[in-house]
Every structure is written in structure tokens, then in C-alpha cells.
Amino acid sequence: MPTTDPLLKVTGLTKHFPIRKGLLQRQVGAVQAVDDVTFSVQSGQTLSLVGESGCGKTTTGRMVTRLLEPTSGSILFDGRELSHLSVGQLRPLRREIQMIFQDPYSSLNPRHTVGTIVGAPFEIQGVKTPQGTKRAVQDLLELVGLNPEHYNRYPHEFSGGQRQRIGIARSLALKPRLIVADEPVSALDVSIQAQVINLLEDLQEELGLTYIVIAHDLSVVRQMSDRVAVMYLGNLVEIADGHDLYTDSRHPYTRALLSAVPIPDTSRREKRERIRLEGDVPSPIDPPPGCRFHTRCWKATDVCRTQVPPLVEIAPRHEVACHHPEDSLVAAAPAQAAAPVEDAPSGTAASGTMTA
Amino acid sequence: MTVPPTEVATPQTDALETEGPDSPKAIEGRSLTQIAWRRLKRDKVAMAGAAVLIFLILVAIFAPLIVKFLGHPPDEFHQDLVDTEMGTLGPKGAWGGISWDYLFGVEPVNGRDLFSRVVYGSRISLLIAFLATLLSVIIGSTLGIIAGYAGGWVDAVISRAMDVFLAFPLLVFAIALAGVVPDNAFGLQGNTLRVVMLVFIIGFFNWPYIGRIIRGQTLSLREREFVDAARSLGARTPRILARELLPNLVAPILVYSTLLIPSNVLFEAALSFLGVGIQPPTPSWGGMLSDAVTFYTMPHFMLFPGLAIFFTVLAFNLFGDGLRDAFDPRGR
Ligand SMILES: Nc1ncnc2c1ncn2[C@@H]1O[C@H](COP(=O)(O)OP(=O)(O)OP(=O)(O)O)[C@@H](O)[C@H]1O
Ligand code: SF4
Ligand SMILES: [Mg+2]
């Protein structure tokens, strides 16, 4: 289906945070937070970025929204290169790419009313709305399921879920095309998570949005992902269509992650064993050479320890960075297996999340 | 199986406040400042401090009026009230000459009205303390916000400057500088020049106290995601500083300036006491204490300016502490 150009194309994206010391702020090292990450997102689709804490998901998201400047690499949005634009050059583009933040308690200014917060995009970008800012803000509040009469209230007067809706309303104000949602539900009660995810899905359908959704848990994003990219220690290790990745992952790390996720499909459950990873994630200041996962991988060989595995297309629309990828589970009957499972997870994924 | 119960339960919890168009009072939000104000009003001690402060400020403003009705001009000699025959030069009558005419009694030697002098002394004391605090707050807040928000070498330079200023032997410097001040400078003269100089010395060297606090607060605010949200909308730095950060810094600025004022009152009193502050005959509390030292047998001379300083400092501290408690997010 990807006959058209992707809305967002990220190539070789890298971010190294310099570590500085002393009065002269000399650089003594670098945190290699994101290293050589490549992916693309089709218009109207959702790409999920998944990985353990500290693997560089937020940093990737912040580079795409250009809250951070990449050390190297390219960010092509709708054919325009964003990676090294100045603050001034970025200003008009801000309307098209917005971000939903992880922490609904820190993402809203406690001294501003909801009206001021959701109206800020219009004010900052100098956008005139036909019926005035107040009307536009109230429409947005209604769109995300909040009472428009709460215009004059302050963030501390709302629950976590409602605050996240306020953040979503703000991100929608300028009618963006791409929204980067950084763990949009991880700070919320499990009971509220499904509601917010459903809201994001409804909005996507209604407004034709493109999403990059960041999560540290594969189960949270299961129902909404068109594509899933798995990161480990700053590297992208596997990227595939959502269904493919959940049923037929090929990278050892993805397999390990998935083995920790409750599977709704009972027929598969017996076949799975829980893979426990040994050891801790190494420091991104001094990552292991070769494959960064080799210190914890049960299949690691000499080549893994010396050579970085490139991201290669192992099956159609399925890329893996591994010298010894796992065998495909559905190689025999790829087409038939897909259909029934496609629907089953989306209905039950929510219950999986809740019991987790 | 777990889906139906949660689906039923969550709209209630999450939409609790979404309902209720029929309760108009629920619509108007209460800001954090309003909440803090309510808490402050319930704090009896802080409100007592505030009452004393308002009283003191009114006294300073209306000093001429008060003295006109309740006293005598502060520089007027009343040597007929002083005991010249016995040679003590103390006031005639018991309790230092306290009477309905001379509410706090009279000074030894010259017989000036002590009440009038204490009332007028409040003007110098509060004026210098307020202006010096204002100067500290302006310099401290500006540099604190810049250091905290910019980080890097800017922060390193400003932070080192704060260390230098805090390590500075301020009192020694003030004494030395005040000693060499000419009678005329910058088109000012006499005590006007001294007031300006005291404000400058006290204010300029105290800014790091405010600066450190504001820098620390800015450092933590900068990491909050609402700052990133503003940046991702294309907000420029001045807007982020003024509209996103500053409203969150008003409370600490207010609290710590309220707590800085009393220490400036004491500092000015100390300088005047040491003779390098305001020069006679202009009345100042510190100067009166200094004069009173020689007449320790006449305690009323020391008591009234001493009490004035004491109550001023106490009232500011009580009010400042109450203010801090009211704004404290942990008590929310
Ligand atoms: N401003 C920064 N300066 C230095 N190091 C940073 C900075 N921001 C992030 N890092 C480091 O970069 C690495 C990746 O961080 P990032 O926040 O992108 O991880 P994440 O995948 O979003 O993790 P989490 O799930 O905890 O949010 C971490 O090791 C982090 O400590
Ligand atoms: S490249 Fe080697 S170490 Fe890395 S994941 Fe594959 S098998 Fe494991
Ligand atoms: Mg993160």
C-alpha cells in the first residue's frame, strides 16, 4: 500500500548529548541516546515506538517535533528537511507537527486557565479564528470530551484523564497533520487508559491525523498501531506492520518483550515461553560495540560482538537488525493466518491492558 | 470480562466534573493564588503581622500629620524639660518625662520629643528597607531567571558571581564606603545622597539571596513539560520567560522579598547605629539607639526605638512566614 511518499521520513537520526564538566564546560563524553534510527510514517497511519525506559524514545520524538536538534541525520516532513532549521524557520512548521506529553501534571501551566492553555496555540501563532478564540477553544474542549463551560478553570481542578484531554485539545488547536504522543497514557489510571486511547483513535479517524505513539509496553499500543518500531539502547532493532510484529517478530529482543505481554490468543499461549533477559541495560554513555544487545542476547556470537547488524528487510515491510534473526512462525501460511487474528486483538487488547 | 465494569465505572470518575452545567458556581475556576490567599486569611498570626505592617506603613506615610496632632516637631529643642541644674541633663519628671504632651518622653540634653522622632524614624527605616529590597529583587530575579533558563556558561558565570557577592564582607565595606562619601555627588546632597547610597549598598549586595532561590526554581520549572509545550507551539524565549515561567515565580519572589525586608531594616539600623548611616538631625531608629547608649540610666530613650525595630522586624517575619506557608504546594 505505500505507493505514496510517506508524510514523515526519518533517516540515520542520531542524538548524542554532550557531557560537560567544570567551569569551562569542556566536553568529557556523550550520552548516545539515539543512534542511526531510520523509519517512515505514512499519512493517516500510526507508528508506535516501543522500548524499555531510557532507550531513546522520547529523544526521538523530541527530534521529530524539533524540541531537540539532531546531532546528525535527516527528518523529511512532507518533503521538507527539518533537521537543522533555526527556531525562526521552524515557527510556521510548528502548526503541522504537535506533541502530546507524557505527564499531564507537568504539561499544563498551573497558573493558566484551561482557556489560556488551549488558546495559547492561536495566540502564539497569531491565528485568527472566525468566531474568536474563546469559541474555538470551547469547540476543542467539546471535541475531546470536556465541558466547554470549564473554560475558566485551572488544571489542578481536573483529574489526570481530563488533564490529558486538555493537553490533547491544545495539540489539536492548529490542525496539525502529525502528532507525536509521548506515552500519552502511562501516567494515567489503567481504567482511564483505554478511554484516552479510544479518543486518540476517534480523533485520528475524524481529522485524518498521523500519529507517532511512544510506549514502553507493547500491549498498550496494540490496538492502534499500523506499524510498530522497537528500540533498544538508542537503536531501532525491528520495524514491521503491527499485526506482523505481534505475531511473527524476528528479533530476539522483540521476542523477549513480547513474551512478557499477555496474549489473548489461547491457541498460541502454550507455544510461548516467557523469556527472561539477563543483566541490565548497558549505559548509553559507553554502549557495547557491535550489536548493542549482545550483552544480553542468548544467540550472540563473535560477529555480534564486533559488527553492527544493519537494518534489513527480512520479509515484505518487515525490517530487522540482527545477524541471526529468529525463524518465522508463520512462514508456511502467511496470508491465511493474518485475517482472523487481525480483529481479535483489537477487541481484547484493552482487557489485556487492564489485567496486566 | 474486565471491560464492561470499567466501561461503566470510568465515565463517572473521569467525567465527574464534566457534568454539572446546572451548577454555575462550579464553572468559575479558583487559581492557586486565590487558594493561597484564602489560606493566608485563615492564618491568624500572619494576619496580625500584616495588620502591624499596614499600621507601620500608615504611620510612615502620615508621620507629619500624626506628629502635628500628637507631638511636637522632631527637631524642636525643649531644654526647659531637661534637668540642667542637677547636671544629669536627663528629662524632668518620672519615666523619662512621659506625659500626655510627650507620649514617649523627651530626649536627654536637647529635650526633643521622642514620640515624634520614633514616628519620623519609621520613614527612613521603611523607605531604605523597601527600596533596597526592590533593588535586590529586580537584580536577583532577572539574573536568577537568566541563569536558570539559559544554563551552561551563562549559569556558571552568574552562579560564581553570586558566590563572590555572598562572600563579600558587606558590613566592613559599607562602613568604609559610607565613611568616604562626599557631601555632594550625582547632584544629590546630605541625607538624600545617603539614602540613595544605603539603598544601593544594601540592595546591590543582597541580590544573590533572591537570585539563588529564583535560579533554583527556574531550573526545576524549565524541566516541566509546559515549557516544552510552549516551545513546540513556536513560542519565543521572552514569551516563555514572561508568560510561562514568571507567573510561577511570583509567589517565591513575594515570599522572599517579604523576608528580606526585615533583614534590611536591621542592616540599616546597624549602619545608622555605627554612625555611617543617616546623619543627624534626621531621626532614624538606629541613630537614636546609638545616641541612647551613653544614657543607659534612662532606659526609655533606648526602649522606644528598640521596640519600633523589634515590632517591625517581627511583623515582617511573621507575615513572610505565613505567606510562604500559604503558597507552599506541599500543604495544598
Ligand atoms: N537532556 C539530556 N541530557 C543528557 N542525557 C539525556 C538527556 N535527555 C535524555 N538523556 C539520556 O538519553 C537516554 C534516552 O532518554 P529518553 O528520555 O529518550 O528515553 P526514553 O526511551 O524516553 O525513556 P523513558 O521510557 O524513561 O521515558 C537516557 O539514557 C537519558 O538519560
Ligand atoms: S545481532 Fe546477535 S546479539 Fe544482536 S540480537 Fe542478533 S543475535 Fe543477538
Ligand atoms: Mg520518555
Side-chain angles (χ1 to χ4, degrees):
Chain A
M1 61 190 133
T3 44
T4 52
D5 280 342
L7 180 64
L8 179 77
K9 192 165 170 9
V10 165
T11 316
L13 199 61
T14 300
K15 181 73 190 179
H16 293 180
F17 292 105
I19 304 170
R20 298 181 193 280
K21 279 234 168 76
L23 186 62
L24 297 176
Q25 303 284 299
R26 239 169 6 95
Q27 184 172 346
V28 294
V31 181
Q32 304 183 19
V34 175
D35 220 49
D36 196 16
V37 163
T38 299
F39 61 81
S40 57
V41 192
Q42 295 293 328
S43 184
Q45 296 211 330
T46 300
L47 170 83
S48 296
L49 216 52
V50 181
E52 283 170 292
S53 186
C55 70
K57 309 177 298 284
T58 298
T59 306
T60 307
R62 283 173 179 243
M63 283 193 280
V64 170
T65 54
R66 274 308 311 276
L67 285 170
L68 284 173
E69 179 161 10
T71 308
S72 64
S74 130
I75 304 166
L76 217 55
F77 175 78
D78 197 23
R80 282 166 294 185
E81 178 58 54
L82 305 186
S83 54
H84 295 293
L85 292 186
S86 70
V87 176
Q89 290 169 317
L90 278 168
R91 254 174 82 84
L93 283 163
R94 297 282 187 199
R95 294 188 193 181
E96 308 201 22
I97 306 178
Q98 276 297 300
M99 187 150 186
I100 296 170
F101 294 89
Q102 175 171 4
D103 180 359
Y105 289 87
S106 121
S107 64
L108 308 178
N109 193 330
R111 304 273 165 194
H112 289 172
T113 61
V114 173
T116 311
I117 291 169
V118 180
F122 301 118
E123 187 208 322
I124 292 170
Q125 287 282 346
V127 173
K128 293 270 174 293
T129 44
Q131 276 118 14
T133 304
K134 180 167 182 180
R135 185 72 236 149
V137 169
Q138 292 187 325
D139 288 346
L140 284 165
L141 292 179
E142 217 159 354
L143 184 65
V144 298
L146 290 170
N147 184 347
E149 301 296 313
H150 287 168
Y151 186 86
N152 280 326
R153 285 201 160 193
Y154 288 85
H156 63 92
E157 299 175 286
F158 293 89
S159 69
Q162 289 175 318
R163 284 163 152 253
Q164 200 57 303
R165 286 170 195 260
I166 297 169
I168 293 171
R170 170 175 61 192
S171 74
L172 293 174
L174 298 171
K175 301 198 171 31
R177 293 162 74 192
L178 175 68
I179 290 187
V180 177
D182 187 2
E183 307 204 22
V185 296
S186 68
L188 304 180
D189 262 18
V190 173
S191 56
I192 315 263
Q193 289 188 348
Q195 289 183 23
V196 172
I197 289 190
N198 289 339
L199 172 68
L200 288 173
E201 283 193 311
D202 292 347
L203 291 169
Q204 178 168 44
E205 204 166 308
E206 207 168 316
L207 307 172
L209 297 166
T210 307
Y211 285 144
I212 294 179
V213 178
I214 295 170
H216 59 251
D217 181 347
L218 276 163
S219 63
V220 172
V221 286
R222 181 167 195 148
Q223 69 166 358
M224 65 186 311
S225 314
D226 294 298
R227 297 270 287 168
V228 179
V230 179
M231 288 184 74
Y232 180 79
L233 202 56
N235 287 153
L236 213 151
V237 296
E238 181 162 16
I239 178 166
D241 285 344
H243 161 259
D244 237 15
L245 191 115
Y246 282 99
T247 55
D248 193 25
S249 62
R250 308 290 292 277
H251 195 282
Y253 177 64
T254 315
R255 287 267 170 111
L257 276 188
L258 276 169
S259 77
V261 172
I263 0 174
D265 185 352
T266 39
S267 66
R268 284 180 189 283
R269 197 171 285 166
E270 284 88 61
K271 275 194 266 173
R272 290 266 172 108
E273 268 175 55
R274 171 106 197 228
I275 306 166
R276 283 190 195 282
L277 289 177
E278 306 277 319
D280 291 327
V281 184
S283 160
I285 297 171
D286 187 19
C291 173
R292 287 189 178 183
F293 187 52
H294 82 243
T295 54
R296 301 169 79 196
C297 182
W298 59 96
K299 299 180 81 180
T301 59
D302 282 345
V303 65
C304 303
R305 284 180 267 272
T306 52
Q307 285 182 29
V308 179
L311 195 67
V312 292
E313 191 159 30
I314 197 166
R317 303 180 47 71
H318 191 148
E319 293 167 59
V320 176
C322 178
H323 292 302
H324 316 293
E326 302 274 348
D327 294 332
S328 173
L329 296 170
V330 288
Q336 288 92 318
V341 196
E342 185 97 65
D343 277 333
S346 50
T348 35
S351 70
T353 319
M354 285 166 192
T355 45
Chain B
M1 277 125 262
T2 38
V3 175
T6 39
E7 292 261 301
V8 178
T10 46
Q12 288 173 348
T13 44
D14 200 29
L16 195 65
E17 289 165 275
T18 326
E19 318 292 347
D22 45 4
S23 56
K25 74 157 194 348
I27 303 306
E28 205 50 47
R30 273 206 288 149
S31 73
L32 295 178
T33 314
Q34 284 168 319
I35 291 171
W37 176 234
R38 265 164 204 247
R39 288 153 57 95
L40 189 64
K41 275 199 291 195
R42 263 183 272 129
D43 183 344
K44 297 240 161 46
V45 177
M47 289 326 277
V52 174
L53 288 185
I54 291 169
F55 174 74
L56 280 167
I57 292 167
L58 291 178
V59 165
I61 292 171
F62 296 109
L65 216 62
I66 294 168
V67 166
K68 191 173 167 208
F69 288 109
L70 297 172
H72 307 78
D75 296 334
E76 196 176 84
F77 286 17
H78 302 277
Q79 254 143 348
D80 51 319
L81 299 173
V82 176
D83 191 355
T84 39
E85 284 130 55
M86 298 287 287
T88 60
L89 297 179
K92 289 176 185 164
W95 306 104
I98 291 179
S99 66
W100 282 114
D101 267 355
Y102 299 88
L103 292 169
F104 292 176
V106 296
E107 263 187 347
V109 186
N110 296 328
R112 289 180 295 194
D113 183 355
L114 215 49
F115 173 78
S116 305
R117 293 187 69 75
V118 170
V119 167
Y120 266 93
S122 67
R123 298 190 123 186
I124 290 293
S125 209
L126 293 184
L127 183 72
I128 290 177
F130 272 119
L131 290 181
T133 305
L134 190 67
L135 185 62
S136 300
V137 166
I138 291 172
I139 303 175
S141 307
T142 311
L143 291 179
I145 293 180
I146 290 173
Y149 190 74
W153 66 267
V154 177
D155 182 29
V157 167
I158 294 178
S159 295
R160 285 306 86 75
M162 292 193 209
D163 293 342
V164 169
F165 272 84
L166 288 176
F168 209 81
L170 178 52
L171 191 61
V172 177
F173 175 79
I175 293 169
L177 188 68
V180 299
V181 152
D183 286 338
N184 289 291
F186 317 114
L188 302 169
Q189 53 179 327
N191 273 330
T192 320
L193 177 62
R194 288 208 160 254
V195 168
V196 171
M197 187 197 67
L198 287 174
V199 165
F200 179 78
I201 294 175
I202 301 173
F204 189 69
F205 283 88
N206 271 334
W207 71 265
Y209 289 104
I210 301 276
R212 275 194 168 174
I213 286 155
I214 297 307
R215 171 184 172 270
Q217 299 269 339
T218 308
L219 274 180
S220 77
L221 282 173
R222 186 183 66 171
E223 301 302 320
R224 305 272 286 274
E225 286 176 337
F226 63 78
V227 175
D228 289 324
R231 283 178 56 215
S232 75
L233 290 166
R236 295 187 177 90
T237 306
R239 193 205 126 98
I240 292 174
L241 295 182
R243 301 267 284 120
E244 304 290 338
L245 297 185
L246 198 58
N248 287 284
L249 293 169
V250 168
I253 289 174
L254 211 63
V255 168
Y256 289 96
S257 13
T258 312
L259 292 171
L260 187 58
I261 291 173
S263 91
N264 287 347
V265 167
L266 285 176
F267 201 82
E268 183 276 327
L271 290 180
S272 294
F273 181 85
L274 293 169
V276 293
I278 294 305
Q279 298 301 301
T282 306
S284 72
W285 293 341
M288 292 166 81
L289 278 183
S290 164
D291 291 345
V293 169
T294 355
F295 300 94
Y296 53 85
T297 51
M298 301 159 202
H300 77 289
F301 194 7
M302 196 176 281
L303 186 69
F304 290 109
L307 282 179
I309 295 173
F310 174 75
F311 280 116
T312 308
V313 171
L314 186 68
F316 271 108
N317 277 327
L318 291 180
F319 181 65
D321 280 343
L323 212 54
R324 182 172 51 196
D325 290 346
F327 277 116
D328 188 355
R330 273 159 302 178
R332 203 164 288 140

